[in-house]
Amino acid sequence: VLFENREQLWLSSPRVNTENTHGTGDTLSAAIAAELAKGTDLKDAIIIGKQFIQGAIADGIDVGHGHGPTNHWADLSDEVLVESE
């Protein structure tokens, strides 16, 4: 993420071998928006959003066929590496 003040935020996490990735972009943006609505500052909201989606992917639920959904009831992941410049 490149902020207006030129600060950079790099987030990374392990790849999860799963087909349960349907809606990951929507889930990430909704998690960030929810944090902003709670008054969390932008940088922290993005970090929490990444932790949320990483946990939701890692603890996926198996329903239907093909690409299933992420698990919106999962815990935040502690596997997200955060680097700022």
Side-chain angles (χ1 to χ4, degrees), residues 6-80:
R6 298 196 180 272
E7 178 184 0
Q8 296 179 30
L9 175 64
W10 294 86
L11 303 173
S12 60
S13 55
R15 183 171 180 81
V16 177
N17 186 18
T18 182
E19 289 188 356
N20 297 328
T21 56
H22 187 76
T24 53
D26 294 336
T27 301
L28 174 61
S29 59
I32 293 169
E35 285 301 317
L36 292 173
K38 293 190 305 187
T40 305
D41 71 72
L42 180 58
K43 182 177 176 181
D44 288 338
I46 293 169
I47 292 168
I48 293 168
K50 173 65 173 165
Q51 292 170 328
F52 182 80
I53 193 59
Q54 182 67 20
I57 293 170
D59 191 22
I61 53 177
D62 292 320
V63 296
H65 302 287
H67 289 281
T70 58
N71 181 359
H72 292 182
W73 296 276
D75 292 327
L76 296 180
S77 174
D78 59 1
E79 294 188 318
V80 175

